[in-house]
Amino acid sequence: QVQLVESGGGLVQAGGSLRLSCVRSGRTFRNYNMGWFRQAPGKEREFVATIRWSGGFTVYADSVKGRFTISRDNAKNTVYLQMNSLKPEDTAVYYCAAGSSVRRQVAGESDYWGQGTQVTVSS
């Protein structure tokens, strides 16, 4: 079993920054690709970013490319999402996820999910 706990969400003005963290416990962290997803009110959950277990390969949604950065620290079993130049349309519940397939994560699916952390960007 894999447990994921997100933190770092909050309220920020447009143009501001936040850093989300996700701590993983359970099975070996290193073997999982880690991703971030988000779900805005009234919308379906969408892929944001993913990072391969080795840390050397990342994929971003077009909507966040150049503004968000995903990274991981395997020694701390933690994955991060640095969000800069935030926009009101980034407002959503952000979920951390662990999975064996980068391709599935880009398609919006994963094996294990956290409970989510709220990010609200005011205009």
Side-chain angles (χ1 to χ4, degrees):
Q1 210 40 315
V2 174
Q3 293 81 42
L4 303 169
V5 179
E6 304 96 334
S7 62
L11 173 64
V12 64
Q13 288 188 333
S17 299
L18 282 175
R19 188 176 82 154
L20 305 183
S21 300
C22 172
V23 179
R24 181 205 159 281
S25 59
R27 288 188 175 177
T28 304
F29 181 71
R30 295 179 188 175
N31 295 335
Y32 283 97
N33 303 304
M34 299 298 297
W36 287 96
F37 298 76
R38 66 186 182 186
Q39 187 167 20
K43 295 187 177 181
E44 293 187 353
R45 185 179 63 206
E46 64 175 2
F47 164 77
V48 174
T50 184
I51 184 167
R52 188 167 283 174
W53 66 269
S54 63
F57 179 74
T58 57
V59 181
Y60 296 91
D62 288 343
S63 58
V64 306
K65 205 171 291 184
R67 300 188 298 123
F68 291 11
T69 302
I70 188 171
S71 61
R72 66 190 293 163
D73 185 338
N74 288 345
K76 296 182 178 179
N77 289 344
T78 302
V79 62
Y80 305 97
L81 185 68
Q82 178 66 45
M83 305 185 294
N84 298 329
S85 302
L86 283 161
K87 305 174 182 179
E89 50 263 46
D90 294 318
T91 295
V93 177
Y94 282 71
Y95 297 91
C96 172
S100 58
S101 169
V102 166
R103 182 171 295 183
R104 285 187 67 230
Q105 290 195 329
V106 173
E109 298 294 329
S110 197
D111 300 319
Y112 302 98
W113 298 89
Q115 294 299 308
T117 184
Q118 176 71 47
V119 171
T120 303
V121 184
S122 63
S123 57

